[in-house]
Amino acid sequence: MITIAAGIIMLGILVFVHELGHFCVAKLCGVKVLKFSLGFGPRLVSHKRGDTEYMICAIPLGGYVQMLGEGVGDQGEDAEINAEDEQRSFSKKSIPRRMAIVAAGPVMNLILPFMILPLAYMIGINLPAYLEEPPCVGYVVPGSEADVAGFRNDDCIIKISGVDVASWSDTGSALVNSAGKPIVFTLDRVDGMADLVVDSKNGALEGLQSIGLLPAQDAVIGGLAPAMPAIEAGLKEGDRILSVGGREIVSWYELKDAIQEVDGQPVDVVVEREKQQLTVELLPKKADGNDDYLIGVAPQYETIFKRFPLGEAIIAGAERTTDLIDLTLVFIQKLFAGHVSTSNIGGPITVVQIAGQAAQTDISSILSVLAFLSIQLGILNLLPIPILDGGHLFFYTFELIFRRPLSLRAREWAQQIGLILLILLMVLAFYNDIVRMLGS
């Protein structure tokens, strides 16, 4: 329930910011606003103040601002209105003013991250420590694309397709820019330099981990599941696992295979606790719906807490925002070019999951996720698809160039096509969300 509630609240904030942009610029341009709605469908709450009815509706997947002289209907652009209202009609405003009103929604979504990310950096953010470290491989997943390409543990990546990378955090944008073509990794190895090529179908859009490259991870326990063998045997957070059934454990990634090897039999586990070695016996077991034997432990992730002063926070927030906008635009370009799979498109379920996970951490994480989602919403709405803001901007650009508007019938046909495209996109996004849920 927390996850769902957090997702709805975050979507509500983003929709409110978006519609507030349309509303404020419409008011500034002297347009009469009839309705300001968060959500669609049956109204739950309604209050009229002045000319405008403010509503919260039952389906929290969007919102709208209805203006006099917009669209069709008894108060649409072809409706008969009195002389006073004609001056406040959206359709009677100049093209630049109409374009400003329409663009204001997505622009507000793109401005929001510039405002809230500096706040997140001033509050302070927890980052995985490895992100600031050189991208040296701690483990290569057997059978992965990286394994097939010939990666080894301790390989250090210095370039990705010709782009220098100094840390794990640098690798993300380099991988996105390489989508749709073979990725060339330049490595610094113990025995010299080497180049390896990975032909990843999705361009490793989810990071090096998606092709089987993981950072070093010590075998230190960071979490214990209730009613599982590890906690019942007396293991504690902070214990360093040294061996399982006589097999030495150096990395966390070796633990799973060591547990499977004992095939559900009692096994001795040696740990180091406060500089002393302890041996406990435990019995691995299978959890519901899992074929692997488990003991109920999670690794301890090293994090670093960074807090920025005001000036540095503004700069860092602006840089992060521009990076996210750039990555989103590159992803869309690669998607339309067919260089990345449509399976990477997420829908409302994914948004709710991301929001729910952030809501259970800290305020900085919530602000960061809000900024990320706001950028996606802003750029999506600027796409030149009829029914979206970008489609309306396309119509007004046509009118500006050719000195005449598209006919109402042509716009209605275009909007119907746009609606069909949007529904197909939503179906695809929901399908991907469900596949991810079933896969996890």
Side-chain angles (χ1 to χ4, degrees):
M1 285 300 294
I2 292 176
T3 297
I4 296 172
I8 292 173
I9 290 170
M10 279 199 179
L11 279 174
I13 291 171
L14 297 179
V15 170
F16 175 76
V17 169
H18 182 96
E19 300 304 336
L20 186 64
H22 293 310
F23 178 83
C24 290
V25 177
K27 287 286 191 180
L28 286 173
C29 291
V31 174
K32 184 176 181 178
V33 179
L34 304 174
K35 292 180 180 179
F36 182 106
S37 175
L38 295 181
F40 299 108
R43 67 190 69 181
L44 301 177
V45 180
S46 175
H47 174 72
K48 187 164 185 178
R49 183 175 180 180
D51 296 323
T52 309
E53 182 183 8
Y54 300 89
M55 303 183 298
I56 298 176
C57 296
I59 305 173
L61 295 178
Y64 63 92
V65 168
Q66 183 183 347
M67 295 171 282
L68 179 67
E70 178 193 25
V72 296
D74 58 356
Q75 292 184 304
E77 61 184 274
D78 287 340
E80 292 185 9
I81 53 178
N82 59 45
E84 181 184 347
D85 277 346
E86 188 172 350
Q87 298 300 315
R88 303 179 65 193
S89 172
F90 175 80
S91 62
K92 301 301 180 182
K93 297 298 178 182
S94 66
I95 298 173
R97 289 195 174 194
R98 279 181 275 157
M99 293 181 77
I101 294 169
V102 170
V107 167
M108 279 288 285
N109 284 127
L110 295 177
I111 289 174
L112 181 65
F114 285 100
M115 300 169 62
I116 62 176
L117 281 180
L119 180 59
Y121 285 119
M122 287 175 63
I123 294 170
I125 52 176
N126 280 303
L127 297 171
Y130 77 86
L131 289 177
E132 301 295 318
E133 298 172 355
C136 295
V137 179
Y139 182 71
V140 182
V141 178
S144 65
E145 292 171 313
D147 186 32
V148 173
F151 275 88
R152 309 173 194 159
N153 291 351
D154 299 322
D155 282 348
C156 289
I157 303 167
I158 58 175
K159 289 185 179 181
I160 297 177
S161 295
V163 177
D164 292 331
V165 288
S167 65
W168 280 85
S169 60
D170 290 341
T171 62
S173 57
L175 289 169
V176 171
N177 285 312
S178 298
K181 54 189 176 182
I183 307 170
V184 181
F185 292 87
T186 302
L187 309 175
D188 185 3
R189 286 182 153 170
V190 176
D191 54 357
M193 304 293 289
D195 284 338
L196 294 180
V197 179
V198 174
D199 190 8
S200 177
K201 62 180 180 180
N202 284 326
L205 290 173
E206 296 178 14
L208 293 175
Q209 291 90 334
S210 67
I211 60 171
L213 296 177
L214 304 175
Q217 178 65 60
D218 292 336
V220 178
I221 297 174
L224 293 157
M228 289 294 285
I231 197 169
E232 291 174 350
L235 294 182
K236 297 181 178 180
E237 292 182 10
D239 287 350
R240 180 182 294 273
I241 300 174
L242 302 178
S243 69
V244 174
R247 173 177 168 174
E248 184 182 9
I249 303 295
V250 177
S251 165
W252 183 270
Y253 307 113
E254 300 170 336
L255 184 60
K256 180 179 178 180
D257 287 342
I259 297 298
Q260 305 315 306
E261 284 178 0
V262 301
D263 199 26
Q265 299 301 311
V267 63
D268 287 337
V269 177
V270 180
V271 300
E272 181 180 89
R273 181 186 301 166
E274 298 176 352
K275 298 183 180 180
Q276 293 186 347
Q277 289 190 11
L278 304 172
T279 301
V280 299
E281 183 182 83
L282 51 77
L283 181 66
K285 68 178 185 180
K286 293 182 178 180
D288 292 339
N290 198 317
D291 292 332
D292 293 329
Y293 287 101
L294 306 173
I295 61 173
V297 292
Q300 183 182 79
Y301 294 108
E302 242 187 284
T303 60
I304 52 174
F305 182 77
K306 295 182 71 173
R307 180 179 285 144
F308 296 73
L310 177 60
E312 292 181 18
I314 292 172
I315 294 171
E319 288 178 347
R320 180 58 178 159
T321 300
T322 52
D323 285 345
L324 287 171
I325 292 173
D326 182 55
L327 287 173
T328 303
L329 292 173
V330 171
F331 171 78
I332 291 172
Q333 175 200 350
K334 301 282 186 180
L335 184 66
F336 279 104
H339 294 158
V340 297
S341 171
T342 53
S343 63
N344 290 285
I345 297 172
I349 297 174
T350 297
V351 171
V352 167
Q353 288 176 332
I354 293 172
Q357 290 166 2
Q360 298 177 53
T361 52
D362 53 61
I363 186 65
S364 294
S365 298
I366 293 171
L367 292 174
S368 297
V369 169
L370 200 60
F372 172 76
L373 295 176
S374 189
I375 288 170
Q376 314 302 302
L377 180 61
I379 292 177
L380 173 65
N381 270 280
L382 285 174
L383 294 178
I385 299 174
I387 211 173
L388 296 180
D389 293 328
H392 292 291
L393 290 173
F394 175 80
F395 293 151
Y396 299 140
T397 302
F398 177 93
E399 185 176 349
L400 198 62
I401 294 171
F402 294 98
R403 306 287 183 176
R404 62 178 179 84
L406 276 171
S407 68
L408 184 59
R409 182 170 178 79
R411 277 177 285 159
E412 288 176 349
W413 271 102
Q415 287 180 347
Q416 288 175 6
I417 294 170
L419 179 61
I420 293 170
L421 290 174
L422 198 59
I423 291 172
L424 290 174
L425 180 63
M426 291 297 293
V427 169
L428 175 62
F430 270 113
Y431 172 78
N432 289 342
D433 287 348
I434 293 168
V435 169
R436 288 191 192 99
M437 289 176 65
L438 294 176
S440 61

